[in-house]
Amino acid sequence: MSKVIEVRNLVKVYGKRATAFEALKGVSLDINSGESVAIVGKSGSGKSTLMHLLALLDKPTSGTIKIDGVDSTKLSNRELNKLRNRTFGFVFQQFFMNPNDTVLENVILPLKIAGIGGKERRHLAEKALETVELSERKRNKATNLSGGQKQRVCIARAIINNPKIIFADEPTGNLDSATGEKVIKLLFDLNKEQGVTLIIVTHDEDLARLCDRQIRIVDGRISEGLEDAPKGEWVDGKWKMKVPAELEKEGN
């Protein structure tokens, strides 16, 4: 597997002198293309700071972040914006939608920023909405959607530019369990069927265990991971935990 993200000695400090707070303290990690990875930690652990840096939404105080071998810390703001828009898709707990725009208009937004022509934008947006089973809602105002529908619109918006990496920050945080399952299935289907690298920031251990690998952040540092935790898979429309053979034997 090729490395899609390489991080070395990442430090992030907020404030100065007496008020300085070190949110990340020398984090190093690699993420492979096509992996599903959970970044796990309690509130204030530094997990959201790490995601914002990996997604190039903020700049580190020191250290390097390479995306497909390109050192992002050496890029101009314009180059960073171009790389981010071309490579990443984002699904946040807060939907960040324009409530009075239609579903289609909200989904098209990343392509407008990228300068894609109107006819192609519409075609790609309708294709993305079909993927998340919301084609019939494309003319609805975003404000008239349920929470689950809004999150699916966000997923459509995230995949419209065919990203290599999707960042999902607490993607089920505002959803009930049944709706959350549908959203998670959509994300993992993109990961497994289309090879999209999926990075989920969460404090939900059950969700984290569905990923190929977990990175645990404690006080700004990577602590012991959960690499040996049981993984999940979809069976009959529901997530089932894969129990390692040795544990199955112990249970018999």
mmCIF file of all heavy atoms in Angstrom, residues 46-96:
data_model
loop_
_atom_site.group_PDB
_atom_site.id
_atom_site.type_symbol
_atom_site.label_atom_id
_atom_site.label_comp_id
_atom_site.label_asym_id
_atom_site.label_seq_id
_atom_site.Cartn_x
_atom_site.Cartn_y
_atom_site.Cartn_z
ATOM 1 N N GLY A 46 -6.718 16.599 21.656
ATOM 2 C CA GLY A 46 -5.942 17.023 20.490
ATOM 3 C C GLY A 46 -6.371 16.353 19.206
ATOM 4 O O GLY A 46 -5.812 16.619 18.141
ATOM 5 N N LYS A 47 -7.414 15.496 19.275
ATOM 6 C CA LYS A 47 -7.805 14.754 18.073
ATOM 7 C C LYS A 47 -8.375 15.656 16.985
ATOM 8 O O LYS A 47 -8.070 15.474 15.804
ATOM 9 C CB LYS A 47 -8.805 13.643 18.416
ATOM 10 C CG LYS A 47 -10.164 14.080 18.921
ATOM 11 C CD LYS A 47 -11.033 12.867 19.256
ATOM 12 C CE LYS A 47 -12.470 13.284 19.593
ATOM 13 N NZ LYS A 47 -12.537 14.185 20.784
ATOM 14 N N SER A 48 -9.173 16.644 17.357
ATOM 15 C CA SER A 48 -9.721 17.554 16.345
ATOM 16 C C SER A 48 -8.639 18.466 15.783
ATOM 17 O O SER A 48 -8.644 18.789 14.585
ATOM 18 C CB SER A 48 -10.859 18.385 16.939
ATOM 19 O OG SER A 48 -11.977 17.567 17.225
ATOM 20 N N THR A 49 -7.698 18.879 16.628
ATOM 21 C CA THR A 49 -6.557 19.660 16.142
ATOM 22 C C THR A 49 -5.776 18.860 15.112
ATOM 23 O O THR A 49 -5.398 19.386 14.050
ATOM 24 C CB THR A 49 -5.628 20.042 17.314
ATOM 25 O OG1 THR A 49 -6.339 20.872 18.223
ATOM 26 C CG2 THR A 49 -4.394 20.779 16.815
ATOM 27 N N LEU A 50 -5.546 17.584 15.388
ATOM 28 C CA LEU A 50 -4.818 16.730 14.452
ATOM 29 C C LEU A 50 -5.565 16.628 13.128
ATOM 30 O O LEU A 50 -4.967 16.745 12.053
ATOM 31 C CB LEU A 50 -4.605 15.341 15.059
ATOM 32 C CG LEU A 50 -3.918 14.312 14.153
ATOM 33 C CD1 LEU A 50 -2.551 14.803 13.712
ATOM 34 C CD2 LEU A 50 -3.794 12.963 14.865
ATOM 35 N N MET A 51 -6.883 16.429 13.183
ATOM 36 C CA MET A 51 -7.655 16.332 11.950
ATOM 37 C C MET A 51 -7.567 17.616 11.132
ATOM 38 O O MET A 51 -7.394 17.584 9.911
ATOM 39 C CB MET A 51 -9.120 16.021 12.243
ATOM 40 C CG MET A 51 -9.910 15.699 10.979
ATOM 41 S SD MET A 51 -11.633 16.190 11.006
ATOM 42 C CE MET A 51 -11.497 17.970 10.801
ATOM 43 N N HIS A 52 -7.687 18.771 11.796
ATOM 44 C CA HIS A 52 -7.626 20.043 11.080
ATOM 45 C C HIS A 52 -6.269 20.243 10.403
ATOM 46 O O HIS A 52 -6.195 20.811 9.305
ATOM 47 C CB HIS A 52 -7.912 21.206 12.032
ATOM 48 C CG HIS A 52 -9.369 21.429 12.261
ATOM 49 N ND1 HIS A 52 -10.122 20.645 13.114
ATOM 50 C CD2 HIS A 52 -10.233 22.337 11.726
ATOM 51 C CE1 HIS A 52 -11.376 21.071 13.097
ATOM 52 N NE2 HIS A 52 -11.473 22.081 12.270
ATOM 53 N N LEU A 53 -5.217 19.754 11.030
ATOM 54 C CA LEU A 53 -3.896 19.862 10.419
ATOM 55 C C LEU A 53 -3.746 18.887 9.258
ATOM 56 O O LEU A 53 -3.232 19.258 8.192
ATOM 57 C CB LEU A 53 -2.802 19.611 11.466
ATOM 58 C CG LEU A 53 -2.686 20.658 12.572
ATOM 59 C CD1 LEU A 53 -1.611 20.256 13.573
ATOM 60 C CD2 LEU A 53 -2.373 22.040 12.003
ATOM 61 N N LEU A 54 -4.199 17.641 9.444
ATOM 62 C CA LEU A 54 -4.121 16.656 8.363
ATOM 63 C C LEU A 54 -4.918 17.107 7.151
ATOM 64 O O LEU A 54 -4.521 16.869 6.003
ATOM 65 C CB LEU A 54 -4.648 15.296 8.841
ATOM 66 C CG LEU A 54 -3.898 14.585 9.958
ATOM 67 C CD1 LEU A 54 -4.547 13.237 10.253
ATOM 68 C CD2 LEU A 54 -2.436 14.392 9.583
ATOM 69 N N ALA A 55 -6.052 17.764 7.403
ATOM 70 C CA ALA A 55 -6.924 18.214 6.328
ATOM 71 C C ALA A 55 -6.498 19.569 5.766
ATOM 72 O O ALA A 55 -7.183 20.129 4.907
ATOM 73 C CB ALA A 55 -8.365 18.291 6.824
ATOM 74 N N LEU A 56 -5.385 20.104 6.242
ATOM 75 C CA LEU A 56 -4.821 21.370 5.765
ATOM 76 C C LEU A 56 -5.764 22.551 5.999
ATOM 77 O O LEU A 56 -5.754 23.538 5.258
ATOM 78 C CB LEU A 56 -4.460 21.283 4.272
ATOM 79 C CG LEU A 56 -3.609 20.080 3.852
ATOM 80 C CD1 LEU A 56 -3.281 20.154 2.363
ATOM 81 C CD2 LEU A 56 -2.341 19.982 4.683
ATOM 82 N N LEU A 57 -6.576 22.441 7.054
ATOM 83 C CA LEU A 57 -7.453 23.538 7.447
ATOM 84 C C LEU A 57 -6.756 24.483 8.415
ATOM 85 O O LEU A 57 -7.265 25.556 8.718
ATOM 86 C CB LEU A 57 -8.731 22.975 8.085
ATOM 87 C CG LEU A 57 -9.616 22.133 7.162
ATOM 88 C CD1 LEU A 57 -10.713 21.455 7.963
ATOM 89 C CD2 LEU A 57 -10.199 22.980 6.045
ATOM 90 N N ASP A 58 -5.608 24.060 8.913
ATOM 91 C CA ASP A 58 -4.796 24.871 9.809
ATOM 92 C C ASP A 58 -3.337 24.503 9.555
ATOM 93 O O ASP A 58 -3.041 23.458 8.938
ATOM 94 C CB ASP A 58 -5.194 24.605 11.264
ATOM 95 C CG ASP A 58 -4.685 25.674 12.223
ATOM 96 O OD1 ASP A 58 -4.059 26.645 11.763
ATOM 97 O OD2 ASP A 58 -4.914 25.527 13.446
ATOM 98 N N LYS A 59 -2.427 25.342 10.022
ATOM 99 C CA LYS A 59 -1.002 25.093 9.803
ATOM 100 C C LYS A 59 -0.327 24.723 11.118
ATOM 101 O O LYS A 59 -0.644 25.291 12.164
ATOM 102 C CB LYS A 59 -0.331 26.327 9.198
ATOM 103 C CG LYS A 59 -0.826 26.644 7.794
ATOM 104 C CD LYS A 59 -0.072 27.825 7.199
ATOM 105 C CE LYS A 59 -0.545 28.116 5.777
ATOM 106 N NZ LYS A 59 0.203 29.245 5.163
ATOM 107 N N PRO A 60 0.613 23.772 11.082
ATOM 108 C CA PRO A 60 1.305 23.386 12.316
ATOM 109 C C PRO A 60 2.308 24.442 12.751
ATOM 110 O O PRO A 60 2.772 25.250 11.952
ATOM 111 C CB PRO A 60 2.023 22.088 11.917
ATOM 112 C CG PRO A 60 2.282 22.253 10.449
ATOM 113 C CD PRO A 60 1.085 22.999 9.914
ATOM 114 N N THR A 61 2.634 24.419 14.023
ATOM 115 C CA THR A 61 3.705 25.281 14.532
ATOM 116 C C THR A 61 5.048 24.777 14.024
ATOM 117 O O THR A 61 5.926 25.562 13.661
ATOM 118 C CB THR A 61 3.675 25.296 16.069
ATOM 119 O OG1 THR A 61 2.378 25.734 16.501
ATOM 120 C CG2 THR A 61 4.740 26.227 16.625
ATOM 121 N N SER A 62 5.210 23.458 13.998
ATOM 122 C CA SER A 62 6.402 22.834 13.413
ATOM 123 C C SER A 62 6.065 21.408 13.012
ATOM 124 O O SER A 62 5.017 20.876 13.368
ATOM 125 C CB SER A 62 7.576 22.854 14.406
ATOM 126 O OG SER A 62 7.274 22.085 15.559
ATOM 127 N N GLY A 63 6.965 20.801 12.248
ATOM 128 C CA GLY A 63 6.719 19.454 11.749
ATOM 129 C C GLY A 63 6.284 19.487 10.290
ATOM 130 O O GLY A 63 6.095 20.559 9.700
ATOM 131 N N THR A 64 6.133 18.300 9.685
ATOM 132 C CA THR A 64 5.784 18.199 8.273
ATOM 133 C C THR A 64 4.562 17.308 8.067
ATOM 134 O O THR A 64 4.344 16.347 8.802
ATOM 135 C CB THR A 64 6.947 17.630 7.443
ATOM 136 O OG1 THR A 64 7.272 16.313 7.929
ATOM 137 C CG2 THR A 64 8.173 18.522 7.522
ATOM 138 N N ILE A 65 3.786 17.665 7.038
ATOM 139 C CA ILE A 65 2.644 16.860 6.603
ATOM 140 C C ILE A 65 2.772 16.690 5.095
ATOM 141 O O ILE A 65 2.681 17.663 4.338
ATOM 142 C CB ILE A 65 1.301 17.553 6.915
ATOM 143 C CG1 ILE A 65 1.185 17.888 8.399
ATOM 144 C CG2 ILE A 65 0.126 16.670 6.482
ATOM 145 C CD1 ILE A 65 0.039 18.831 8.718
ATOM 146 N N LYS A 66 3.012 15.454 4.672
ATOM 147 C CA LYS A 66 3.099 15.174 3.240
ATOM 148 C C LYS A 66 1.803 14.520 2.765
ATOM 149 O O LYS A 66 1.328 13.564 3.384
ATOM 150 C CB LYS A 66 4.290 14.259 2.939
ATOM 151 C CG LYS A 66 5.641 14.934 3.109
ATOM 152 C CD LYS A 66 6.784 14.012 2.689
ATOM 153 C CE LYS A 66 8.132 14.705 2.828
ATOM 154 N NZ LYS A 66 9.256 13.822 2.410
ATOM 155 N N ILE A 67 1.253 15.050 1.668
ATOM 156 C CA ILE A 67 0.067 14.484 1.038
ATOM 157 C C ILE A 67 0.496 13.955 -0.323
ATOM 158 O O ILE A 67 0.913 14.728 -1.192
ATOM 159 C CB ILE A 67 -1.055 15.542 0.866
ATOM 160 C CG1 ILE A 67 -1.348 16.246 2.193
ATOM 161 C CG2 ILE A 67 -2.307 14.894 0.287
ATOM 162 C CD1 ILE A 67 -1.915 15.365 3.286
ATOM 163 N N ASP A 68 0.424 12.629 -0.511
ATOM 164 C CA ASP A 68 0.909 12.012 -1.752
ATOM 165 C C ASP A 68 2.338 12.442 -2.058
ATOM 166 O O ASP A 68 2.691 12.724 -3.211
ATOM 167 C CB ASP A 68 -0.001 12.362 -2.937
ATOM 168 C CG ASP A 68 -1.170 11.390 -3.070
ATOM 169 O OD1 ASP A 68 -1.115 10.303 -2.460
ATOM 170 O OD2 ASP A 68 -2.132 11.716 -3.776
ATOM 171 N N GLY A 69 3.153 12.527 -1.007
ATOM 172 C CA GLY A 69 4.561 12.860 -1.180
ATOM 173 C C GLY A 69 4.874 14.337 -1.257
ATOM 174 O O GLY A 69 6.037 14.719 -1.289
ATOM 175 N N VAL A 70 3.828 15.192 -1.289
ATOM 176 C CA VAL A 70 4.040 16.637 -1.377
ATOM 177 C C VAL A 70 4.051 17.239 0.028
ATOM 178 O O VAL A 70 3.107 17.038 0.798
ATOM 179 C CB VAL A 70 2.924 17.310 -2.219
ATOM 180 C CG1 VAL A 70 3.098 18.824 -2.207
ATOM 181 C CG2 VAL A 70 2.926 16.768 -3.632
ATOM 182 N N ASP A 71 5.117 17.962 0.371
ATOM 183 C CA ASP A 71 5.222 18.596 1.684
ATOM 184 C C ASP A 71 4.327 19.827 1.714
ATOM 185 O O ASP A 71 4.664 20.875 1.142
ATOM 186 C CB ASP A 71 6.683 18.975 1.964
ATOM 187 C CG ASP A 71 6.890 19.485 3.384
ATOM 188 O OD1 ASP A 71 5.879 19.737 4.086
ATOM 189 O OD2 ASP A 71 8.052 19.642 3.797
ATOM 190 N N SER A 72 3.194 19.707 2.388
ATOM 191 C CA SER A 72 2.204 20.784 2.406
ATOM 192 C C SER A 72 2.703 22.031 3.123
ATOM 193 O O SER A 72 2.234 23.141 2.854
ATOM 194 C CB SER A 72 0.910 20.300 3.076
ATOM 195 O OG SER A 72 1.141 19.996 4.436
ATOM 196 N N THR A 73 3.669 21.858 4.025
ATOM 197 C CA THR A 73 4.165 23.012 4.792
ATOM 198 C C THR A 73 4.991 23.958 3.924
ATOM 199 O O THR A 73 5.304 25.066 4.347
ATOM 200 C CB THR A 73 5.008 22.543 5.999
ATOM 201 O OG1 THR A 73 6.100 21.721 5.528
ATOM 202 C CG2 THR A 73 4.170 21.726 6.967
ATOM 203 N N LYS A 74 5.317 23.532 2.702
ATOM 204 C CA LYS A 74 6.099 24.379 1.802
ATOM 205 C C LYS A 74 5.238 25.013 0.707
ATOM 206 O O LYS A 74 5.761 25.692 -0.186
ATOM 207 C CB LYS A 74 7.224 23.560 1.165
ATOM 208 C CG LYS A 74 8.251 23.069 2.176
ATOM 209 C CD LYS A 74 9.370 22.294 1.512
ATOM 210 C CE LYS A 74 10.400 21.829 2.542
ATOM 211 N NZ LYS A 74 11.489 21.032 1.913
ATOM 212 N N LEU A 75 3.920 24.802 0.766
ATOM 213 C CA LEU A 75 3.030 25.318 -0.269
ATOM 214 C C LEU A 75 2.489 26.700 0.102
ATOM 215 O O LEU A 75 2.330 27.024 1.276
ATOM 216 C CB LEU A 75 1.856 24.363 -0.478
ATOM 217 C CG LEU A 75 2.188 22.935 -0.927
ATOM 218 C CD1 LEU A 75 0.905 22.122 -1.086
ATOM 219 C CD2 LEU A 75 2.989 22.934 -2.231
ATOM 220 N N SER A 76 2.179 27.480 -0.903
ATOM 221 C CA SER A 76 1.517 28.767 -0.689
ATOM 222 C C SER A 76 0.052 28.519 -0.319
ATOM 223 O O SER A 76 -0.459 27.406 -0.484
ATOM 224 C CB SER A 76 1.584 29.608 -1.957
ATOM 225 O OG SER A 76 0.792 29.013 -2.989
ATOM 226 N N ASN A 77 -0.615 29.551 0.168
ATOM 227 C CA ASN A 77 -2.036 29.403 0.509
ATOM 228 C C ASN A 77 -2.854 28.988 -0.706
ATOM 229 O O ASN A 77 -3.764 28.157 -0.598
ATOM 230 C CB ASN A 77 -2.582 30.709 1.079
ATOM 231 C CG ASN A 77 -2.090 30.963 2.492
ATOM 232 O OD1 ASN A 77 -1.726 30.027 3.215
ATOM 233 N ND2 ASN A 77 -2.073 32.224 2.907
ATOM 234 N N ARG A 78 -2.543 29.551 -1.861
ATOM 235 C CA ARG A 78 -3.265 29.194 -3.082
ATOM 236 C C ARG A 78 -3.043 27.734 -3.438
ATOM 237 O O ARG A 78 -3.986 27.026 -3.819
ATOM 238 C CB ARG A 78 -2.809 30.105 -4.233
ATOM 239 C CG ARG A 78 -3.575 29.879 -5.530
ATOM 240 C CD ARG A 78 -3.134 30.881 -6.590
ATOM 241 N NE ARG A 78 -3.849 30.673 -7.827
ATOM 242 C CZ ARG A 78 -3.669 31.393 -8.928
ATOM 243 N NH1 ARG A 78 -2.793 32.391 -8.928
ATOM 244 N NH2 ARG A 78 -4.356 31.140 -10.018
ATOM 245 N N GLU A 79 -1.806 27.274 -3.312
ATOM 246 C CA GLU A 79 -1.492 25.872 -3.615
ATOM 247 C C GLU A 79 -2.163 24.948 -2.605
ATOM 248 O O GLU A 79 -2.637 23.859 -2.966
ATOM 249 C CB GLU A 79 0.019 25.672 -3.621
ATOM 250 C CG GLU A 79 0.722 26.321 -4.792
ATOM 251 C CD GLU A 79 2.233 26.329 -4.641
ATOM 252 O OE1 GLU A 79 2.729 26.387 -3.490
ATOM 253 O OE2 GLU A 79 2.923 26.286 -5.677
ATOM 254 N N LEU A 80 -2.200 25.370 -1.332
ATOM 255 C CA LEU A 80 -2.876 24.578 -0.298
ATOM 256 C C LEU A 80 -4.366 24.430 -0.603
ATOM 257 O O LEU A 80 -4.923 23.335 -0.508
ATOM 258 C CB LEU A 80 -2.698 25.237 1.075
ATOM 259 C CG LEU A 80 -1.416 24.961 1.844
ATOM 260 C CD1 LEU A 80 -1.381 25.808 3.109
ATOM 261 C CD2 LEU A 80 -1.296 23.485 2.188
ATOM 262 N N ASN A 81 -5.004 25.529 -0.984
ATOM 263 C CA ASN A 81 -6.433 25.495 -1.305
ATOM 264 C C ASN A 81 -6.712 24.561 -2.479
ATOM 265 O O ASN A 81 -7.690 23.803 -2.481
ATOM 266 C CB ASN A 81 -6.940 26.906 -1.621
ATOM 267 C CG ASN A 81 -6.985 27.790 -0.391
ATOM 268 O OD1 ASN A 81 -7.064 27.298 0.733
ATOM 269 N ND2 ASN A 81 -6.926 29.103 -0.586
ATOM 270 N N LYS A 82 -5.857 24.618 -3.473
ATOM 271 C CA LYS A 82 -6.020 23.774 -4.650
ATOM 272 C C LYS A 82 -5.857 22.299 -4.294
ATOM 273 O O LYS A 82 -6.659 21.446 -4.707
ATOM 274 C CB LYS A 82 -4.995 24.177 -5.716
ATOM 275 C CG LYS A 82 -5.179 23.469 -7.048
ATOM 276 C CD LYS A 82 -4.189 24.001 -8.078
ATOM 277 C CE LYS A 82 -4.371 23.289 -9.409
ATOM 278 N NZ LYS A 82 -3.412 23.800 -10.442
ATOM 279 N N LEU A 83 -4.831 21.991 -3.494
ATOM 280 C CA LEU A 83 -4.587 20.612 -3.066
ATOM 281 C C LEU A 83 -5.746 20.096 -2.222
ATOM 282 O O LEU A 83 -6.213 18.967 -2.407
ATOM 283 C CB LEU A 83 -3.279 20.543 -2.267
ATOM 284 C CG LEU A 83 -2.915 19.184 -1.666
ATOM 285 C CD1 LEU A 83 -2.732 18.137 -2.751
ATOM 286 C CD2 LEU A 83 -1.647 19.302 -0.813
ATOM 287 N N ARG A 84 -6.219 20.912 -1.293
ATOM 288 C CA ARG A 84 -7.320 20.526 -0.416
ATOM 289 C C ARG A 84 -8.604 20.273 -1.212
ATOM 290 O O ARG A 84 -9.284 19.265 -1.007
ATOM 291 C CB ARG A 84 -7.541 21.623 0.626
ATOM 292 C CG ARG A 84 -8.594 21.288 1.676
ATOM 293 C CD ARG A 84 -8.567 22.302 2.806
ATOM 294 N NE ARG A 84 -8.681 23.666 2.318
ATOM 295 C CZ ARG A 84 -7.774 24.615 2.520
ATOM 296 N NH1 ARG A 84 -6.696 24.379 3.203
ATOM 297 N NH2 ARG A 84 -7.958 25.838 2.046
ATOM 298 N N ASN A 85 -8.913 21.149 -2.134
ATOM 299 C CA ASN A 85 -10.156 21.019 -2.899
ATOM 300 C C ASN A 85 -10.103 19.825 -3.851
ATOM 301 O O ASN A 85 -11.120 19.183 -4.113
ATOM 302 C CB ASN A 85 -10.421 22.311 -3.695
ATOM 303 C CG ASN A 85 -11.849 22.410 -4.150
ATOM 304 O OD1 ASN A 85 -12.776 22.309 -3.354
ATOM 305 N ND2 ASN A 85 -12.051 22.589 -5.449
ATOM 306 N N ARG A 86 -8.907 19.512 -4.336
ATOM 307 C CA ARG A 86 -8.742 18.416 -5.290
ATOM 308 C C ARG A 86 -8.695 17.054 -4.608
ATOM 309 O O ARG A 86 -9.141 16.045 -5.167
ATOM 310 C CB ARG A 86 -7.441 18.627 -6.084
ATOM 311 C CG ARG A 86 -7.202 17.605 -7.181
ATOM 312 C CD ARG A 86 -5.896 17.872 -7.904
ATOM 313 N NE ARG A 86 -4.737 17.649 -7.053
ATOM 314 C CZ ARG A 86 -3.831 18.570 -6.757
ATOM 315 N NH1 ARG A 86 -3.967 19.800 -7.215
ATOM 316 N NH2 ARG A 86 -2.798 18.280 -5.989
ATOM 317 N N THR A 87 -8.195 17.019 -3.376
ATOM 318 C CA THR A 87 -7.850 15.742 -2.741
ATOM 319 C C THR A 87 -8.822 15.304 -1.651
ATOM 320 O O THR A 87 -9.008 14.105 -1.432
ATOM 321 C CB THR A 87 -6.429 15.835 -2.130
ATOM 322 O OG1 THR A 87 -5.530 16.345 -3.112
ATOM 323 C CG2 THR A 87 -5.938 14.477 -1.660
ATOM 324 N N PHE A 88 -9.454 16.261 -0.958
ATOM 325 C CA PHE A 88 -10.221 15.946 0.243
ATOM 326 C C PHE A 88 -11.719 16.151 0.056
ATOM 327 O O PHE A 88 -12.170 16.997 -0.718
ATOM 328 C CB PHE A 88 -9.781 16.838 1.414
ATOM 329 C CG PHE A 88 -8.324 16.733 1.768
ATOM 330 C CD1 PHE A 88 -7.649 17.824 2.300
ATOM 331 C CD2 PHE A 88 -7.622 15.556 1.580
ATOM 332 C CE1 PHE A 88 -6.313 17.746 2.643
ATOM 333 C CE2 PHE A 88 -6.283 15.460 1.909
ATOM 334 C CZ PHE A 88 -5.622 16.558 2.445
ATOM 335 N N GLY A 89 -12.484 15.378 0.829
ATOM 336 C CA GLY A 89 -13.900 15.623 1.048
ATOM 337 C C GLY A 89 -14.126 15.697 2.544
ATOM 338 O O GLY A 89 -13.405 15.051 3.325
ATOM 339 N N PHE A 90 -15.118 16.489 2.974
ATOM 340 C CA PHE A 90 -15.332 16.721 4.398
ATOM 341 C C PHE A 90 -16.762 16.433 4.799
ATOM 342 O O PHE A 90 -17.713 16.855 4.125
ATOM 343 C CB PHE A 90 -15.011 18.180 4.760
ATOM 344 C CG PHE A 90 -13.588 18.570 4.490
ATOM 345 C CD1 PHE A 90 -13.250 19.219 3.308
ATOM 346 C CD2 PHE A 90 -12.578 18.280 5.392
ATOM 347 C CE1 PHE A 90 -11.950 19.583 3.045
ATOM 348 C CE2 PHE A 90 -11.268 18.637 5.142
ATOM 349 C CZ PHE A 90 -10.944 19.296 3.963
ATOM 350 N N VAL A 91 -16.917 15.700 5.919
ATOM 351 C CA VAL A 91 -18.225 15.449 6.517
ATOM 352 C C VAL A 91 -18.104 15.812 7.990
ATOM 353 O O VAL A 91 -17.399 15.145 8.748
ATOM 354 C CB VAL A 91 -18.653 13.974 6.379
ATOM 355 C CG1 VAL A 91 -20.022 13.758 7.012
ATOM 356 C CG2 VAL A 91 -18.677 13.553 4.907
ATOM 357 N N PHE A 92 -18.799 16.894 8.385
ATOM 358 C CA PHE A 92 -18.690 17.383 9.758
ATOM 359 C C PHE A 92 -19.967 17.097 10.545
ATOM 360 O O PHE A 92 -21.039 16.883 9.974
ATOM 361 C CB PHE A 92 -18.433 18.891 9.769
ATOM 362 C CG PHE A 92 -17.108 19.283 9.196
ATOM 363 C CD1 PHE A 92 -17.031 19.897 7.954
ATOM 364 C CD2 PHE A 92 -15.933 19.048 9.879
ATOM 365 C CE1 PHE A 92 -15.808 20.273 7.413
ATOM 366 C CE2 PHE A 92 -14.698 19.415 9.353
ATOM 367 C CZ PHE A 92 -14.644 20.026 8.122
ATOM 368 N N GLN A 93 -19.822 17.097 11.871
ATOM 369 C CA GLN A 93 -20.979 16.932 12.756
ATOM 370 C C GLN A 93 -21.989 18.051 12.517
ATOM 371 O O GLN A 93 -23.188 17.836 12.443
ATOM 372 C CB GLN A 93 -20.521 16.920 14.216
ATOM 373 C CG GLN A 93 -21.656 16.726 15.215
ATOM 374 C CD GLN A 93 -21.140 16.659 16.647
ATOM 375 O OE1 GLN A 93 -19.948 16.683 16.892
ATOM 376 N NE2 GLN A 93 -22.037 16.575 17.596
ATOM 377 N N GLN A 94 -21.505 19.281 12.392
ATOM 378 C CA GLN A 94 -22.342 20.406 11.993
ATOM 379 C C GLN A 94 -22.382 20.414 10.462
ATOM 380 O O GLN A 94 -21.347 20.264 9.817
ATOM 381 C CB GLN A 94 -21.768 21.722 12.515
ATOM 382 C CG GLN A 94 -21.565 21.748 14.030
ATOM 383 C CD GLN A 94 -22.862 21.587 14.796
ATOM 384 O OE1 GLN A 94 -23.911 22.038 14.348
ATOM 385 N NE2 GLN A 94 -22.793 20.935 15.945
ATOM 386 N N PHE A 95 -23.557 20.598 9.895
ATOM 387 C CA PHE A 95 -23.728 20.330 8.473
ATOM 388 C C PHE A 95 -23.128 21.406 7.562
ATOM 389 O O PHE A 95 -22.789 21.138 6.419
ATOM 390 C CB PHE A 95 -25.220 20.145 8.158
ATOM 391 C CG PHE A 95 -25.874 19.100 9.017
ATOM 392 C CD1 PHE A 95 -26.979 19.419 9.804
ATOM 393 C CD2 PHE A 95 -25.380 17.804 9.067
ATOM 394 C CE1 PHE A 95 -27.577 18.462 10.604
ATOM 395 C CE2 PHE A 95 -25.969 16.840 9.869
ATOM 396 C CZ PHE A 95 -27.068 17.174 10.648
ATOM 397 N N PHE A 96 -23.010 22.661 8.055
ATOM 398 C CA PHE A 96 -22.432 23.738 7.263
ATOM 399 C C PHE A 96 -23.067 23.839 5.883
ATOM 400 O O PHE A 96 -22.378 23.846 4.850
ATOM 401 C CB PHE A 96 -20.911 23.578 7.144
ATOM 402 C CG PHE A 96 -20.194 23.650 8.457
ATOM 403 C CD1 PHE A 96 -19.498 22.555 8.949
ATOM 404 C CD2 PHE A 96 -20.225 24.807 9.217
ATOM 405 C CE1 PHE A 96 -18.842 22.616 10.174
ATOM 406 C CE2 PHE A 96 -19.554 24.879 10.439
ATOM 407 C CZ PHE A 96 -18.878 23.784 10.919
#
